[in-house]
Structure formats: C-alpha cells, structure tokens
Amino acid sequence: MSQPVRPELRYCADHEWINSESPARVGISAVASDALGEVVFVDLPEVGAEVEAGEPCGELESTKSVSDLVSPVTGTVVAVNEAVVDEPGTINKDPYGEGWLFTVEVAQEGELLSAEEYASRFDAEVTGA
C-alpha cells in the first residue's frame, strides 16, 4: 500500500515536509515514518538554533535504525514540538498533524519537491486528508 502525501505541503528528498506558513512547520512524511518503523527517540534542534537546508539538524531513532533529520530550509528554529520528544510514537500515528517536529523562520529554501514530484519519486499517493 502506498503512503499518503499531503498536497498542500512541499517535501525534500530526505522525506521532511514543510508547510507554507510563516514561521514554517517541519515534519517527516508518512513514507519516512513507515520506513523507519516505530520511532522511539527524537533529537530536535533547540529553539534559537540556526538550521541549514540539506544539512542534518537532529535525529530520529526507531526500533530499526537511526536517521538524520535534515532541514528542508535555512533559518532559525522558533519552536519545537516537545510532545513528540515525550511521545515519539506520535510521529508514526500522525506525521502530518500532531507529529510535527519544529517550526522555523525561513531565510532560504532548499531543494523542495511538490507533493506530486515527491509521490512519484517514492511510490506514494497524493491525498487530501
């Protein structure tokens, strides 16, 4: 079964998504959360940290592996989702909602894919829900 991709979001090839709000919210796609398996530990950038597009800014640890969290944009982190630090499994349950990771004041975007481009690259399906 292919994983859902939200049409209103943009994605980087490393599976992070970003919305178009300001500050922008960042998370990982359902494709990534499915591939990772059960997320058991989250290391997020700190509020005030500078993140750089395409560069690691944290880690997600699952029962299968540890993966770098790569920032889709360059900017300053303005909030982190403490709820996913306390309950990492939220990322698996709701990667596009309650499982968001951090928000960032965007200075510059990295290479971002549309939902359609991301879905076709990773055998996923663009859905509205």
Side-chain angles (χ1 to χ4, degrees):
M1 181 178 118
S2 64
Q3 293 299 318
V5 172
R6 295 277 176 87
E8 73 276 11
L9 302 173
R10 291 179 298 155
Y11 301 82
C12 61
D14 293 299
H15 304 292
E16 288 75 16
W17 59 258
I18 188 164
N19 68 15
S20 57
E21 295 170 17
S22 183
R25 186 170 275 187
V26 175
I28 64 164
S29 72
V31 172
S33 80
D34 185 58
L36 276 169
E38 184 185 351
V39 178
V40 295
F41 178 77
V42 181
D43 178 31
L44 298 176
E46 293 185 12
V47 171
E50 298 292 322
V51 293
E52 191 169 328
E55 294 297 318
C57 62
E59 285 183 342
L60 299 175
E61 187 175 324
S62 72
T63 53
K64 294 181 185 177
S65 66
V66 176
S67 296
D68 282 334
L69 174 62
V70 176
S71 182
V73 295
T74 297
T76 304
V77 176
V78 295
V80 296
N81 187 353
E82 295 293 345
V84 299
V85 174
D86 295 338
E87 281 293 328
T90 305
I91 295 168
N92 298 106
K93 293 182 195 108
D94 191 10
Y96 299 117
E98 296 297 315
W100 66 275
L101 301 175
F102 63 93
T103 57
V104 59
E105 280 291 350
V106 178
Q108 185 174 352
E109 293 186 350
E111 287 187 39
L112 298 174
L113 305 169
S114 71
E116 291 76 15
E117 291 167 329
Y118 179 82
S120 67
R121 188 178 290 191
F122 295 104
D123 192 31
E125 183 178 342
V126 178
T127 63

